[in-house]
Amino acid sequence: MFLEVKNIVKSFGSEQIIKELNFTLNAQNTMSILGKSGCGKTSMLKIIGGLLSPDAGEIILNGINVANQSPKHRKIVYLYQEDLLFPHLNVFENIAFGLRLKKLPENEIIQKVNSIIASLELEDQSGKMPHQLSGGQRQRVSFGRAIIINPALLLLDEPFGSLDAGTRQRMQELFKKLTKEFDITSLFVTHDLKEAILMGDQIAFMQKGRLKVYQDKTEFINDKETGVQDEIGFWDGLKSKETISKH
Amino acid sequence: MKFNWKPYILTLIVLLILFPFVYMVLLSLASEWRFPDLLPSYFGLRNWLKIIGSETGLLHSFLISVSISLSVATVSTLSGFFISRSVSYHPKKRVLTLLTYFPYILAPVVFAACLSYFFLRMGLFGNATGVIVAQFMITFPYALIFFSSFWNQRTKNLEDLVATLGGNQLQTFFKMLFPIAKGMLLICFFQTFLISWFEYGLTSIIGVGKVQTLTIKVFLFIKEANFYYGALSCCLLIFPPVVLLYLNKRYVFNKLV
């Protein structure tokens, strides 16, 4: 397995936020993690990314236990719901940021950034400052900045949460395309049922600090806890009401 | 047609505001201007030339003031920036922030009187280093409070992002934090420079008359009733802040808006 998370536990004071977190993920796969606000999703991602220390447990990435490594050595990029573009840099420099930290040669940086910009369909925007971009464009730049450094694992914390429905759909399609193109392994946290089903090769559900990983999408859909059945019931009810009123 | 008084009133207000400054410059160029003479008996650069000759010690005071204020502004801005980060991310942030207001509970003169024993024991009484330390005790909390709004959850997230992108602490500061905070750093430098530049109470007690900054000198001339030199030292007192204000307006405020 590419990613193995074993027995991770985290408490804040007397409250246990993460309870015995265990799961595995294959390389180049995406695991969707569904859960309500405050269930521990963000804490889990931050622990895997090295931004929070776990009280116990192991995180094995590509055969190496990274639980005690600092974030900069893990090659795991954490993406927030907010795009967090650097306001003093234009699109090109925002995407190039990680490469400049590595002090790569200028020619290589230009070539890599231009290639990513083309993949993100942002050719006309490279000289623009973040405040001149739309929400969707900003989120694309944020992706590009993460992908360009070729991370071992990408952690996405409700990345499309602040986008409107249309832009959100386009971003989901773009993300699927990019994960294939750049062989990305990722954990995709969302509170949107449809998004969880669409984005993940694997699906998990988090509730009160416990993570349940499903064998397949059918098991996820059939589990009453996830709320999928309620959703189906709602739409079916609406449909039958409409049919009755027509008759 | 209705007569428009607005431009005339506006001109009058501008003239009233500018008059004290223009009069101060004129006074610095005059000497032996006694009542009921309408014009001074001498009008020229004699007073200003005396400064260059250091006869009155004004040039020396100007240089001391510039050195003290630049040191205080630089040290307090930089240390305030770094330490406010630690304070803002500290679990006991509220208590620590409350403590930063402590120097402002007392008037600077009373504050200096309370501290004078310690300054005396440390050999900081009556020298420029002592004045810098004393003024720092006022400007540093100001810088801490000033930067506390910068260190919020968004900045923390940006720092974390740089770390996950592979950046170390030094790169986080130089490639992200300093450029983002550039405007705030310059404004804080400007403000702390002004606090130090116009500081009188602390400087007079800790400096015990041996450290004669321009502000101290202005008061001395006023006490001596030498208003020509008083006006001249006021001109010198206002000149650096005006330059800083211009630079701030030209390079900072316009970019922030």
Side-chain angles (χ1 to χ4, degrees):
Chain A
M1 282 293 169
F2 183 71
L3 173 69
E4 289 176 69
V5 175
K6 293 180 181 173
N7 307 316
I8 292 286
V9 175
K10 178 70 184 174
S11 298
F12 287 120
S14 58
E15 196 187 353
Q16 200 171 34
I17 303 292
I18 305 289
K19 296 163 184 165
E20 292 289 320
L21 184 69
N22 286 290
F23 69 88
T24 56
L25 182 67
N26 284 324
Q28 294 152 38
N29 272 10
T30 296
M31 180 190 274
S32 292
I33 298 164
L34 185 76
K36 289 173 187 156
S37 299
C39 70
K41 305 185 301 275
T42 299
S43 300
M44 177 190 70
L45 289 192
K46 286 194 168 179
I47 288 170
I48 296 168
L51 303 172
L52 261 181
S53 312
D55 298 334
E58 288 180 351
I59 300 158
I60 295 157
L61 186 67
N62 211 6
I64 299 162
N65 185 7
V66 296
N68 297 318
Q69 279 184 1
S70 67
K72 72 168 189 150
H73 292 121
R74 289 193 188 193
K75 291 190 84 181
I76 300 176
V77 177
Y78 180 96
L79 288 184
Y80 293 79
Q81 180 177 346
E82 202 185 349
D83 50 73
L84 290 178
L85 297 187
F86 301 121
H88 62 294
L89 300 176
N90 62 20
V91 169
F92 184 96
E93 286 303 325
N94 257 289
I95 295 174
F97 192 84
L99 303 179
R100 298 222 183 270
L101 292 178
K102 288 180 179 173
K103 293 173 184 164
L104 292 187
E106 189 63 26
N107 288 343
E108 197 179 334
I109 291 176
I110 293 170
Q111 185 216 322
K112 282 188 172 181
V113 174
N114 284 336
S115 153
I116 287 274
I117 283 177
S119 297
L120 295 165
E121 297 154 21
L122 285 168
E123 288 97 334
D124 302 333
Q125 318 293 331
S126 67
K128 285 189 178 170
M129 296 305 280
H131 69 271
Q132 296 172 302
L133 304 174
S134 68
Q137 287 172 331
R138 290 167 68 97
Q139 203 57 266
R140 274 188 269 169
V141 176
S142 173
F143 270 147
R145 183 177 58 186
I147 290 167
I148 202 165
I149 62 165
N150 194 22
L153 180 67
L154 198 58
L155 307 173
L156 301 112
D157 194 354
E158 300 186 32
F160 311 136
S162 58
L163 303 177
D164 63 82
T167 314
R168 191 175 186 142
Q169 198 188 336
R170 282 196 295 279
M171 287 301 294
Q172 287 165 350
E173 285 162 11
L174 181 74
F175 178 74
K176 292 285 270 184
K177 187 191 105 179
L178 291 174
T179 47
K180 282 204 177 79
E181 192 179 333
F182 293 95
D183 298 329
I184 293 165
T185 312
S186 62
L187 295 178
F188 192 106
V189 158
T190 179
H191 59 254
D192 186 275
L193 270 172
K194 197 178 141 196
E195 192 168 72
I197 295 167
L198 280 173
M199 304 309 290
D201 301 302
Q202 263 181 282
I203 306 183
F205 181 65
M206 195 159 200
Q207 199 173 31
K208 293 174 185 170
R210 288 192 192 282
L211 188 80
K212 186 178 177 186
V213 183
Y214 295 91
Q215 295 290 326
D216 51 36
K217 286 180 182 172
T218 315
E219 193 192 352
F220 173 76
I221 290 164
N222 291 334
D223 188 346
K224 282 187 176 175
E225 293 280 336
T226 60
V228 180
Q229 290 302 322
D230 292 341
E231 189 86 0
I232 292 169
F234 172 79
W235 291 111
D236 281 349
L238 207 66
K239 203 176 169 186
S240 37
K241 266 184 198 171
E242 223 172 79
T243 320
I244 291 163
S245 65
K246 272 181 186 171
H247 288 293
Chain B
M1 199 176 79
K2 200 182 166 188
F3 188 74
N4 189 6
W5 286 97
K6 208 175 161 184
Y8 296 98
I9 294 170
L10 207 67
T11 312
L12 184 71
I13 292 169
V14 169
L15 284 174
L16 283 173
I17 291 169
L18 287 178
F19 175 74
F21 298 101
V22 176
Y23 184 65
M24 201 168 64
V25 176
L26 290 175
L27 213 57
S28 76
L29 295 167
S31 61
E32 295 160 39
W33 195 2
R34 292 188 189 89
F35 184 80
D37 298 345
L38 195 62
L39 293 168
S41 56
Y42 173 80
F43 192 80
L45 289 168
R46 192 165 66 196
N47 295 335
W48 285 89
L49 290 170
K50 270 186 187 172
I51 299 172
I52 298 161
S54 285
E55 192 183 304
T56 58
L58 271 183
L59 191 66
H60 183 241
S61 290
F62 178 77
L63 293 174
I64 282 183
S65 287
V66 169
S67 315
I68 289 174
S69 297
L70 282 178
S71 311
V72 170
T74 309
V75 175
S76 49
T77 301
L78 288 176
S79 57
F81 185 71
F82 288 111
I83 295 169
S84 72
R85 179 176 178 268
S86 307
V87 170
S88 297
Y89 295 160
H90 198 277
K92 293 194 173 163
K93 176 193 169 182
R94 292 180 72 176
V95 180
L96 293 171
T97 307
L98 199 68
L99 284 174
T100 57
Y101 286 93
F102 181 74
Y104 303 113
I105 295 169
L106 304 169
V109 180
V110 181
F111 187 52
C114 296
L115 294 171
S116 55
Y117 170 76
F118 301 103
F119 277 77
L120 194 64
R121 290 298 300 258
M122 288 190 290
L124 294 172
F125 225 54
N127 59 46
T129 314
V131 172
I132 290 170
V133 172
Q135 290 188 355
F136 174 77
M137 291 171 118
I138 297 289
T139 53
F140 172 64
Y142 173 84
L144 278 184
I145 295 161
F146 183 85
F147 287 119
S148 61
S149 63
F150 177 76
W151 303 107
N152 49 36
Q153 193 54 48
R154 189 185 149 80
T155 314
K156 179 82 181 77
N157 291 346
L158 281 167
E159 283 185 56
D160 287 345
L161 179 72
V162 176
T164 62
L165 288 171
N168 58 32
Q169 197 78 326
L170 210 63
Q171 286 172 319
T172 306
F173 271 96
F174 281 95
K175 290 201 179 282
M176 194 271 288
L177 290 172
F178 283 140
I180 288 177
K182 193 174 77 182
M184 284 188 87
L185 283 164
L186 284 168
I187 291 170
C188 185
F189 179 84
F190 175 62
Q191 300 280 11
T192 48
F193 182 90
L194 284 185
I195 294 170
S196 164
W197 187 256
F198 291 113
E199 220 299 312
Y200 177 75
L202 267 173
T203 314
S204 61
I205 290 183
I206 303 297
V208 280
K210 289 180 184 171
V211 184
Q212 293 206 329
T213 58
L214 265 182
T215 319
I216 300 279
K217 209 80 173 173
V218 170
F219 276 89
L220 281 176
F221 287 133
I222 290 165
K223 278 179 193 167
E224 288 172 12
N226 189 342
F227 42 81
Y228 306 114
Y229 283 172
L232 202 154
S233 46
C234 277
C235 289
L236 285 175
L237 203 60
I238 287 169
F239 178 67
V242 167
V243 171
L244 268 180
L245 191 69
Y246 170 77
L247 292 174
N248 252 318
K249 170 115 182 57
R250 180 89 173 75
Y251 299 105
V252 185
F253 292 120
N254 287 350
K255 285 185 181 174
L256 288 179
V257 174

